[in-house]
Amino acid sequence: MNALADLDRRIAGCRACPRLVDWREEAARTKRAAFADWTYWGRPVPGFGPADARMLIVGLAPAAHGGNRTGRMFTGDRSGDVLYQALYDIGLASQPTAVTADDGLELHGVRITSPVHCAPPANKPTPGERDTCRPWLVQELNLLRPTLRSVVVLGAFGWQAALPAFAEAGWSVPRPRPVFGHGARVPLDGLELFGCFHVSQRNTFTGRLTPAMLRDVLRTAAETAGLGGRTAENRTTGPSYDG
């Protein structure tokens, strides 16, 4: 756990991408009217979940007024509302909502991360920013490898970013690289990789991704990882970093 906590602290202090640094800090200064009384996190958002997770969820990047505000993955935005409700429904989260990093939410056997840790303009990191951030994901995968058994990747961007990271972390990725699709399933040396449409409002508001579709993928990945229900022992609360 100490190694992963140290990684999370180093991620939270990263300033490698000038455009992303400027954007996340500007969003933290100007704020959104609904959150005018908040002190924004305004830094890279590290992963959230136990160090011995058996299942990993890979997103895209923090939202400017979600994770960039709260300091925790998928916390404080509509995408997180959908994701955490689904995790709660299948017994992998202690509560269906994620409001603040200290709201008591616990995850059971699952960790959430992203290939880009800073909020990007228009929710679109550049390929260069994605590649610059990749070593953080590679290090996280290496630390999780002893227990990790399944991964759910949300969206095509996350899929394209995750496959090279798995290759760099030592997994054998098929060539040509598997194509993203909702429900895609790829075996990687004892690890099962699942594709799922992203929980963005564009997908959930239009019905492209329904709660049932999301639950089905998450439940299959959890069963593959050997996870049970709400009694799972692996639990964590949100991050609390100084500096």
Side-chain angles (χ1 to χ4, degrees):
M1 183 63 189
N2 289 338
L4 191 59
D6 178 67
L7 176 66
D8 289 344
R9 290 188 185 94
R10 289 189 287 118
I11 289 172
C14 183
R15 301 183 64 84
C17 299
R19 188 182 79 114
L20 297 187
V21 171
D22 290 345
W23 176 257
R24 79 191 191 210
E25 293 181 354
E26 177 63 19
R29 284 191 299 269
T30 58
K31 306 181 182 181
R32 180 172 283 172
F35 308 119
D37 59 343
W38 275 76
T39 299
Y40 275 49
W41 174 255
R43 290 184 272 172
V45 180
F48 168 48
D52 55 355
R54 299 182 64 85
M55 175 176 161
L56 182 67
I57 297 172
V58 179
L60 191 162
H65 303 284
N68 188 57
R69 171 172 58 91
T70 63
R72 193 174 69 190
M73 287 284 172
F74 283 104
T75 298
D77 61 38
R78 293 290 183 88
S79 295
D81 292 344
V82 174
L83 178 60
Y84 286 113
Q85 178 69 63
L87 289 172
Y88 175 77
D89 288 344
I90 64 172
L92 297 182
S94 63
Q95 61 192 46
T97 57
V99 181
T100 66
D102 59 356
D103 60 9
L105 172 64
E106 299 178 340
L107 298 182
H108 308 318
V110 59
R111 183 172 170 87
I112 302 174
T113 193
S114 64
V116 176
H117 287 276
C118 290
N123 293 321
K124 293 181 179 179
T126 67
E129 290 161 349
R130 174 201 63 198
D131 294 346
T132 298
C133 210
R134 183 181 300 145
W136 294 125
L137 180 56
V138 173
Q139 292 178 64
E140 191 170 14
L141 291 172
N142 281 325
L143 292 173
L144 294 172
R145 185 162 191 154
T147 57
L148 194 60
R149 297 294 177 267
S150 70
V151 179
V152 175
V153 182
L154 302 174
F157 181 95
W159 186 268
Q160 293 165 1
L163 290 176
F166 279 103
E168 288 186 31
W171 276 276
S172 295
V173 177
R175 288 190 174 277
R177 286 178 177 165
V179 176
F180 171 78
H182 183 82
R185 182 170 181 172
V186 180
L188 300 177
D189 299 336
L191 180 74
E192 293 289 320
L193 184 66
F194 296 84
C196 180
F197 290 144
H198 196 279
V199 288
S200 65
Q201 293 183 52
R202 181 179 61 183
N203 288 336
T204 58
F205 282 13
T206 61
R208 187 181 191 218
L209 177 67
T210 66
M213 291 167 63
L214 177 60
R215 286 194 301 269
D216 285 346
V217 174
L218 294 175
R219 185 181 294 112
T220 302
E223 291 171 351
T224 300
L227 291 175
R230 303 184 198 283
T231 58
E233 296 178 358
N234 297 334
R235 299 180 179 182
T236 186
T237 54
S240 178
Y241 305 116
D242 297 325

